[in-house]
Amino acid sequence: MASTVGDIIASKTGSIIELYKNVRARTMQIVAPLEIEDYVIQTAEFMSPPRWHIGHTSWFFETLLQAYQPGYKVYSEDYLFYFNSYYEGFGERIARSERGTKSRPTVKQTVVYREHINEQMLSFLESVPNQAEAGTILTLVRLGLEHEMQHQELLVYDIKHLLCDQYDAPLLPAPTPSVNVEGMAEIGGGLFWLGYESQVQSPKSKVQSPSNYDFAFDNEKPAHQVFLQDYALDRALVSNGDYLEFIRDGGYQNFRWWFSEGWEVVNREQWRAPLYWELHDEQWMIRDFSGLHAVEDRANEPLSHVSFYEALAFAKWIGKRLPTEAEWEKAAAFDPQTREPRAFPWGNDPSTKTKANLFENGIWAPASIGAFPAGQNSYGCQQMIGDVWEWTTSDYVPYPGFKSEFDEYNDKWFVNQKVLRGGSYATPQIHIRSTYRNFFHAHERWMVSGLRCAKDL
Ligand SMILES: [Fe+2]
């Protein structure tokens, strides 16, 4: 029986209500172990107090209510000021670096605000099938939920910076590695369809989009052809053990490996190791959510918390380079047997706990190299999705033909940032896909960032 547009909207509305409840609840699960004092402290300019995240993600939905719910009354002008992040179009806001200078609204008030927005949103969502702009509203609600998932990942970074092993994370054990991951995959060049629509609309592809693959940000579109030379890509991520060799070889003391800007930062900030590495009795240790560990005991785990500069320096030291984002995406998405792109390295099935180390795995750390053989790509590259975001050498710029779908969300950041791919242990499962483009400044390293190297053939 053919469905009417009304049926489709009603079923989409039903599933978005479920998604809304699940995503909103997870934010509160992440902050649940915090004590009240933890919610308001800002430990660095680049992080935000947890209270701000729980209010800001609600503020995002309040902007939607203001636009689409007739007669909606703003909850508080003060909250609009404090919880706006960077949106010029939504009025004045507190400077990012000052989010930790205010104790009001209190945590309790922020939670009440959050509950108020939830009530309003849930009754608003029930009315969506009767709204003339139902399609637009559903798209914006989904954007709000993807936005919230981005903030869930940021919450993990920020709580790590704030508390690290003092945070009582509900840790689950990581799987042990079951395979050795060695060598480089050799990948043929030629024309490649880069970007989200390659999976669903490319004239080269007949692949149907999988059911969980129904959203992408505007910055992943449109699909377009790029030309690649033949290249090789490491099957494994760079490990802590690999990076310890670089440090022991005097990597941070040798200008030869660094680009000028990176060398300046190394000297100015006195960097001697990745963030969260500590020197105890001449032994490098890594502090994470589970405590302090000798690097040797974590030698087979993917390296994380390095800047773009450190990733570049390591790649140069080892005689390789970083991949471009197109090289990364081809390895992650392209099936050389069928010559079709896929949603994930393993195919079109959704992410599961055995395919990739993502937020739902509950490990709160990268898992050992070789722990997720079920997630490998067609070329034997492992852990491309999950564990750590991978720096690429590509500038974060719009794809040719880019059209902004939401002002100030992605479109105003297309300058001076680098693209990272693949997601991390802090990324929710439904939030990641092979075409996802994350971006950070070259010096940033409080996020879960690592690398895998490439080489010309
Ligand atoms: Fe935001």
Side-chain angles (χ1 to χ4, degrees), residues 12-28:
K12 276 196 162 182
T13 304
S15 57
I16 207 129
I17 289 174
E18 276 318 294
L19 190 63
Y20 181 93
K21 289 179 185 164
N22 290 339
V23 171
R24 296 281 284 167
R26 182 163 53 211
T27 302
M28 298 314 287

Side-chain angles (χ1 to χ4, degrees), residues 361-383:
N361 294 62
I363 300 169
W364 296 77
S368 294
I369 289 164
F372 290 89
Q376 72 176 359
N377 74 351
S378 313
Y379 305 91
C381 298
Q382 304 221 359
Q383 291 159 292

Side-chain angles (χ1 to χ4, degrees), residues 61-123:
F61 285 110
E62 190 173 26
T63 65
L64 201 151
L65 289 166
Q66 284 178 263
Y68 292 97
Q69 169 84 293
Y72 178 79
K73 274 187 63 189
V74 164
Y75 186 81
S76 154
E77 292 292 337
D78 289 348
Y79 289 21
L80 292 187
F81 176 79
Y82 182 70
F83 291 124
N84 181 0
S85 50
Y86 54 69
Y87 294 86
E88 304 283 346
F90 291 117
E92 296 289 307
R93 74 218 73 91
I94 191 166
R96 182 181 180 177
S97 56
E98 290 171 19
R99 288 172 189 163
T101 62
K102 282 166 72 75
S103 56
R104 305 296 167 95
T106 64
V107 178
K108 209 186 278 177
Q109 287 169 331
T110 306
V111 172
V112 171
Y113 171 57
R114 191 174 169 90
E115 286 164 357
H116 171 81
I117 297 298
N118 280 347
E119 258 172 49
Q120 294 284 317
M121 276 301 295
L122 287 169
S123 70

Side-chain angles (χ1 to χ4, degrees), residues 52-65:
W52 184 85
H53 285 288
I54 62 176
H56 167 70
T57 46
S58 302
W59 167 89
F60 196 94
F61 285 110
E62 190 173 26
T63 65
L64 201 151
L65 289 166

